[in-house]
Amino acid sequence: MSGRPDHVAEQPAPAEGSEPHRVPKLKSVALPSEHGGWGLTIEPGLLGVLVAPSLAGFCLAFAALVAFLARTPVKLVLVDRRRGRMLPRTRLALRVAAVEVLVLAALVIVVVLTAEGWSWSIPVLVAAPLIAVELWYDMRSRSRRLIPELAGAIGIAGVAASIVLVDGGDGALALGLWSILAARVVSAIPHVRGQIFRLHGRPSSASVTLVADFVAVAGAIGAVALDTALVAGAIAVVALVIAQRVIAAGPARRAPIIGAMQTVFGFAVVLVTAIGVARS
């Protein structure tokens, strides 16, 4: 799920048989290591419930967070099973994933029972292939490549659209919110990667961030075309693009600082967008 400020090179998995007797810690299989993923998962749910609060909407927002947590044990299981091994961490990850899947199923049941129709499921179905792409890379221990990071982040952004639709909200507004959040991550993730690469003395492509910013601005404009209530959100995205350009022109910053700035930027986009919709 992506745009991780702690982006580093993918770590090789331990060789088969290298940890057969090691007792795995629950934290190692239950908590995501991608700190930036927390914000990218919370932002769509927060924006959705701010714009269209409902019981079903809150359940969808919480379900997105549970799904984000479940990705860590699921990823471990997929990697280990692909390599034909069953380690202590694999068994623990299976148990953790099972509990989280049960919680996720319970939340979905509440959504189904309280939703205004089934239109909320359309963004879920559209986002499913994007999440599948991320899991495919996860299984191959390549989750920190640009493609899976973008796919996961854009996919989870669809939660905002589902929350609006689950309460019988307008489809254009729902799609516009998704566009605003997608524009935010399309610009942010390449910029974060570029800063981290620079911090570690690795080359990065200026053309990638340039194209990403162009797509982000186009997405923000598209959101306004869908619903003029999203003008404030579109302006926030453009401001984000400019701020990231200014930051990139300055000295390299440590990963925690990069992550903190992205958290502030992300929640600022959410709040400005929600206020703009409320005032329209």
Side-chain angles (χ1 to χ4, degrees):
M1 292 210 195
S2 327
R4 292 112 184 181
D6 59 337
H7 180 89
V8 293
E10 202 72 44
Q11 297 296 319
E16 184 173 357
S18 63
E19 53 173 335
H21 303 296
R22 184 181 302 171
V23 177
K25 294 181 179 179
L26 180 61
K27 178 181 178 181
S28 67
V29 302
L31 292 181
S33 61
E34 305 93 340
H35 299 160
W38 288 94
L40 293 178
T41 303
I42 292 172
E43 289 169 23
L46 177 60
L47 179 57
V49 298
L50 286 176
V51 171
S54 67
L55 173 60
F58 278 104
C59 287
L60 280 173
F62 190 38
L65 185 59
V66 173
F68 170 66
L69 291 172
R71 176 177 165 239
T72 296
V74 168
K75 177 168 63 174
L76 287 173
V77 172
L78 290 175
V79 169
D80 287 346
R81 295 313 301 154
R82 181 172 180 266
R83 290 174 175 161
R85 62 191 185 187
M86 178 63 75
L87 303 174
R89 74 166 190 178
T90 317
R91 288 186 282 271
L92 179 59
L94 275 171
R95 292 194 291 270
V96 172
V99 172
E100 290 172 336
V101 168
L102 286 175
V103 173
L104 188 60
L107 290 168
V108 172
I109 290 173
V110 175
V111 171
V112 170
L113 293 177
T114 58
E116 296 284 341
W118 286 92
S119 60
W120 63 271
S121 65
I122 297 175
V124 176
L125 295 175
V126 173
L130 297 173
I131 302 302
V133 167
E134 186 178 37
L135 287 175
W136 188 89
Y137 277 87
D138 282 347
M139 185 169 60
R140 287 155 179 77
S141 299
R142 298 175 180 175
S143 57
R144 294 188 179 183
R145 304 288 179 89
L146 178 60
I147 290 176
E149 288 191 349
L150 285 175
I154 293 172
I156 200 67
V159 170
S162 287
I163 292 174
V164 171
L165 294 174
V166 81
D167 195 38
D170 180 65
L173 175 62
L175 182 56
L177 292 179
W178 194 351
S179 296
I180 289 290
L181 292 175
R184 173 266 198 279
V185 300
V186 163
S187 175
I189 290 176
H191 274 278
V192 168
R193 290 171 60 88
Q195 292 177 67
I196 296 298
F197 285 168
R198 185 159 62 117
L199 183 65
H200 293 282
R202 299 170 58 189
S204 61
S205 174
S207 60
V208 170
T209 54
L210 181 63
V211 171
D213 287 346
F214 176 81
V215 172
V217 173
I221 294 173
V224 176
L226 287 166
D227 194 318
T228 55
L230 296 172
V231 169
I235 293 174
V237 170
V238 173
L240 167 68
V241 170
I242 295 172
Q244 289 178 152
R245 282 286 169 184
V246 172
I247 291 170
R253 293 168 172 81
R254 294 184 298 112
I257 295 176
I258 296 172
M261 288 191 296
Q262 283 298 325
T263 298
V264 172
F265 290 158
F267 284 111
V269 170
V270 166
L271 291 177
V272 171
T273 302
I275 292 171
V277 173
R279 292 173 62 88
S280 64

